[in-house]
Amino acid sequence: MLPSTLMTGSSNGGPREPVGDDLATLARRIAAAPPGAAADEEARLFRALAPRVRLYGLKYLRDRARADDLSQQVLLTTLERLRSGGIHEPERIASFVLGTSRAMVIDLLRGERRRRDLRERFVPKSAAAEAPREPLDLGRLAECLTRLSERARAVVTMTFYAERDAAEIAEELTLSPGNVRVTRHRALARLRLCMEGADEEAPS
Amino acid sequence: MSPRRCERPVPFEDLVDYWLDGRPPEEQPGIEEHLFGCEECSAGLETVAALGEAVRLLGLEGRLLGGLGPSLLERLEREGRVIRRYRAAAAGHIHCTAGADDDLVVLELAADLADIERVDLLHLAADGTLLQRARQLPVIGGREVVWASPGDLIRSLPTSIMFVRLMAVEPEGERLVGEYILHHTAYRP
């Protein structure tokens, strides 16, 4: 079971844990402590690693709810193994968490394939998309997008909204895939600066 | 507070490529190993993911306009957006309006745009007043520009004539590559 302190300060845009913790130090303290005596270290380790596991889950599962579940499951497993002395190299805690994440994602994808096969056979397709949370200020982002050239904006929106890869975008816009990637890198770097309020230059 | 500094940060473009599966598969494990152990780089990846997600949400809300491509129009239509399309060749006339349900009014403007590095779109009133300039449009297949305006905007316009021009912007100057005359009829509910 997760300690109650771990259930707050979520990885979904909640307040970030103050940084400075060394993962290996935290893991060693948890492993060395008597049961229940390292709740603070466990909370800190959880808060440091949960966002990373969640991102990993988002990349491979492309579903926020399942990425959240993955994060909880991986960290729960990790803490249980640490408490029981089942992790022999606490200094490699990040690798352990990555390995656990990989294994769980593979299991989830296998299960998902089975479920999808069943769903496609027996359940009508649903047009309803998952209701998303609002992760960034969309008004600000819309304004930042207007600072990009039309082509750069199209490349970004084709990537994330139309879900086209660089080769597909290149074919549609008669560009090289390399050109698409460079345009996309620059556009995203520009958007990042703009969202941070650091891009006041003329559009490019 | 800023994340712990990384001694060997993964470049931002590599984070973008990693997120979009643009890195060779054999490089992924190494990047992931680094990301799981590195606060600064995982925060950078979180930024990429958040930007991508926010762009997706803008699309879902129908807030992507201007220069588009077929894949974007296809996606918008798949999500139920009502799109009214007008197609014209260079020097063509377009008799246009907007209906009550139109989310977008799209101009598909054909011209010989092959090998032109930068195409800008000018939108002019009947008296030649410049209303809008859009820079460096995406060119579809070297032969077409797709321009999308919100239905609300088009419904608000009076009956009028306007011009759209496509300009090649080159080191030696600008040249006209296509002009289109819009005969707009006001929306009547």
Side-chain angles (χ1 to χ4, degrees):
Chain A
M1 183 180 162
L2 290 172
S4 59
T5 49
L6 300 190
M7 304 307 285
T8 58
S10 78
S11 59
N12 306 325
R16 271 189 186 280
E17 178 71 359
V19 295
D21 287 327
D22 176 73
L23 298 179
T25 304
L26 289 174
R28 273 195 295 271
R29 284 186 192 152
I30 295 164
D40 181 52
E41 284 82 357
E42 289 183 359
R44 283 152 61 188
L45 189 75
F46 182 94
R47 287 176 187 156
L49 287 171
R52 300 175 206 183
V53 180
R54 184 174 179 275
L55 272 176
Y56 184 87
L58 268 178
K59 174 171 166 57
Y60 288 104
L61 302 171
R62 298 291 176 191
D63 180 291
R64 280 170 295 285
R66 294 171 73 210
D68 286 340
D69 289 346
L70 175 79
S71 178
Q72 294 270 338
Q73 283 300 315
V74 168
L75 269 297
L76 175 62
T77 302
T78 303
L79 290 174
E80 284 177 345
R81 292 286 297 274
L82 274 172
R83 290 168 190 155
S84 67
I87 297 179
H88 302 296
E89 296 177 285
E91 63 277 9
R92 301 197 65 237
I93 189 68
S95 294
F96 176 85
V97 172
L98 171 59
T100 307
S101 303
R102 276 190 187 133
M104 285 192 182
V105 162
I106 288 168
D107 282 350
L108 284 167
L109 290 175
R110 277 196 195 120
E112 172 60 23
R113 266 196 292 276
R114 279 197 299 274
R115 279 191 295 278
R116 193 169 56 229
D117 289 346
L118 288 170
R119 200 165 53 230
E120 282 175 359
R121 283 171 60 194
F122 299 115
V123 181
K125 280 194 169 62
S126 166
E130 180 193 357
R133 280 188 291 263
E134 188 164 352
L136 288 179
D137 177 348
L138 293 188
R140 173 72 183 162
L141 180 67
E143 189 201 320
C144 290
L145 279 167
T146 65
R147 297 179 184 215
L148 303 178
S149 72
E150 296 288 338
R151 186 160 72 195
R153 189 160 70 231
V155 166
V156 169
T157 54
M158 288 165 82
T159 298
F160 291 107
Y161 175 61
E163 296 176 333
R164 297 297 200 265
D165 65 26
E168 291 168 322
I169 296 170
E171 190 179 346
E172 191 168 324
L173 303 186
T174 332
L175 299 169
S176 71
N179 194 332
V180 168
R181 277 195 289 273
V182 169
T183 301
R184 189 163 58 197
H185 295 153
R186 289 180 181 160
L188 288 171
R190 187 89 195 269
L191 286 177
R192 178 175 66 163
L193 282 177
C194 183
M195 293 301 286
E196 292 167 354
D199 179 21
E200 301 303 331
E201 294 171 24
S204 66
Chain B
M1 191 179 289
S2 300
R4 288 163 68 99
R5 300 298 301 175
C6 176
E7 290 177 6
R8 290 182 300 113
V10 180
F12 186 70
E13 56 266 32
D14 288 356
L15 292 175
V16 172
D17 283 345
Y18 166 74
W19 188 247
L20 296 170
D21 298 326
R23 305 297 300 178
E26 63 272 18
E27 288 183 16
Q28 306 252 107
I31 292 175
E32 285 164 359
E33 194 79 35
H34 181 85
L35 288 170
F36 267 69
C38 176
E39 187 169 8
E40 181 181 342
C41 295
S42 62
L45 184 65
E46 207 165 344
T47 300
V48 175
L51 283 172
E53 175 62 6
V55 170
R56 193 181 73 87
L57 291 178
L58 284 179
L60 287 173
E61 291 184 4
R63 292 163 71 180
L64 302 177
L65 302 164
L68 304 180
S71 59
L72 287 167
L73 292 178
E74 180 191 307
R75 178 72 194 254
L76 287 161
E77 284 184 320
R78 196 148 35 98
E79 278 162 8
R81 303 277 162 194
V82 178
I83 299 176
R84 179 182 292 255
R85 297 172 185 241
Y86 295 100
R87 177 179 287 269
H93 291 253
I94 303 173
H95 294 268
C96 50
T97 188
D101 299 327
D102 294 339
D103 294 305
L104 291 174
V105 177
V106 167
L107 301 177
E108 296 170 327
L109 308 171
D112 181 7
L113 304 170
D115 302 322
I116 299 176
E117 173 57 27
R118 175 176 160 180
V119 177
D120 285 9
L121 180 147
L122 309 185
H123 192 181
L124 302 109
D127 64 0
T129 305
L130 180 64
L131 303 172
Q132 181 182 27
R133 178 173 196 129
R135 298 164 307 104
Q136 200 171 18
L137 274 95
V139 174
I140 314 306
R143 58 185 154 61
E144 186 177 71
V145 159
V146 176
W147 183 256
S149 302
D152 286 343
L153 172 68
I154 304 303
R155 277 188 291 275
S156 73
L157 297 175
T159 295
S160 54
I161 291 177
M162 287 168 282
F163 300 92
V164 170
R165 289 183 187 149
L166 297 182
M167 309 295 295
V169 180
E170 293 163 334
E172 54 272 23
E174 294 185 1
R175 67 185 166 90
L176 182 68
V177 286
E179 183 170 58
Y180 311 83
I181 304 162
L182 309 182
H183 303 264
H184 175 72
T185 302
Y187 165 67
R188 288 192 180 81

